């Protein structure tokens, strides 16, 4: 996952700079060893970046970075921040679990007029380019993720869980390969 972040975060930061402008703190929920947070922290040094992950993951976190690591469970609570970031996490879970995660995200962020939002980096089936390679990649991921009872979602699938969790609006920005940024607003 750190290698994946090394590849994708450079593209996200270049193509979607606006997504991270004007924020003061960000929590990377289920952020693993923090590859994504380290990239955000390097590109936006004024943003206070933290990673929330399970205790055994945080125990292996690298030392000497600007990122703060917090041991916890996203199904229990998420520490407060301007922005919650979720990279390649939601497709691991079914709708019920995703709604629980999103509700905890909503509790962690300020209202929209104070800059609160959730930024999801994940697959949106059908978004962006629709050539054969993209369709094949989406189908392969869909099959793979079914093995762990997760789900690849199209826009309707995302809309359903976003509104069920109490958010008011969202914006999909196709950014790299089959993956998009989804900005979700309280
Ligand atoms: C597919 S990895 C994604 C890691 C990271 N977001 C990235 O893209 O590099 C999923 C992560 O979810 C974490 N995770 C699973 N259950 C969790 C929970 N209940 N609370 C917090 N993190 C959890 C795992 O430990 C793992 O690091």
């Amino acid at each position: 996952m750190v290698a994946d972040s090394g590849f994708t975060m450079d593209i996200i930061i270049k193509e979607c700079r606006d997504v991270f402008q004007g924020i003061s703190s960000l929590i990377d929920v289920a952020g693993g060893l923090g590859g994504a947070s380290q990239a955000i922290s390097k590109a936006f040094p004024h943003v206070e970046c933290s990673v929330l992950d399970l205790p055994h993951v945080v125990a292996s976190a690298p030392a000497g970075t600007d990122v703060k690591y917090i041991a916890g469970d996203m199904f229990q609570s998420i520490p407060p921040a301007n922005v919650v970031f979720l990279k390649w996490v939601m497709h691991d879970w079914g709708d019920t679990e995703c709604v629980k995660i999103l509700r905890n995200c909503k509790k962690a962020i300020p209202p929209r007029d104070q800059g609160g939002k959730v930024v999801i980096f994940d697959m949106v089936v059908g978004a962006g380019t629709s050539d054969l390679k993209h369709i094949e990649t989406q189908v392969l991921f869909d099959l793979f993720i079914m093995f762990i009872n997760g789900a690849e979602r199209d826009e309707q699938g995302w809309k359903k869980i976003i509104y069920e969790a109490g958010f008011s609006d969202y914006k999909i920005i196709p950014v790299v390969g089959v993956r998009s940024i989804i900005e979700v607003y309280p």
Side-chain angles (χ1 to χ4, degrees):
M1 293 313 300
V2 171
D4 177 73
S5 292
F7 165 62
T8 54
M9 289 309 296
D10 277 357
I11 301 170
I12 293 175
I13 286 164
K14 193 165 158 247
E15 302 288 325
C16 302
R17 242 191 134 69
D18 285 358
V19 169
F20 302 98
Q21 297 287 15
I23 63 177
S24 56
S25 61
L26 173 145
I27 182 139
D28 182 5
V29 168
L33 297 180
S37 290
Q38 284 169 36
I40 295 167
S41 169
K42 208 170 142 202
F44 303 94
H46 61 280
V47 180
E48 198 183 292
C49 292
S50 315
V51 168
L52 175 79
D53 209 298
L54 296 170
H56 70 276
V57 178
V58 168
S60 317
T65 76
D66 288 336
V67 172
K68 183 178 162 195
Y69 290 84
I70 302 166
D73 180 348
M74 63 187 169
F75 291 106
Q76 297 299 317
S77 68
I78 294 172
N82 258 188
V83 168
V84 173
F85 184 67
L86 286 154
K87 172 179 168 285
W88 228 206
V89 174
M90 303 291 269
H91 74 159
D92 293 344
W93 300 96
D95 284 6
T96 309
E97 290 86 1
C98 282
V99 170
K100 265 189 205 157
I101 298 167
L102 285 173
R103 284 195 177 132
N104 284 341
C105 291
K106 192 158 180 275
K107 286 183 202 155
I109 55 173
R112 184 174 182 171
D113 60 6
Q114 288 169 35
K117 65 181 173 182
V118 178
V119 176
I120 298 172
F121 179 53
D122 221 309
M123 191 191 296
V124 179
V125 175
T129 323
S130 60
D131 61 23
L132 187 61
K133 266 198 186 137
H134 276 75
I135 294 168
E136 281 176 356
T137 310
Q138 287 176 352
V139 170
L140 279 176
F141 262 111
D142 206 14
L143 286 171
F144 165 65
I145 220 74
M146 265 190 242
F147 277 113
I148 56 163
N149 293 323
E152 298 299 359
R153 298 176 171 87
D154 61 8
E155 182 171 352
Q156 288 309 312
W158 282 105
K159 199 172 171 177
K160 179 177 173 284
I161 56 171
I162 286 168
Y163 287 148
E164 205 175 317
F167 287 88
S168 68
D169 201 5
Y170 67 91
K171 181 165 122 191
I172 294 173
I173 313 164
V175 60
V176 49
V178 293
R179 285 186 269 180
S180 297
I181 288 281
I182 312 168
E183 279 195 309
V184 182
Y185 311 109

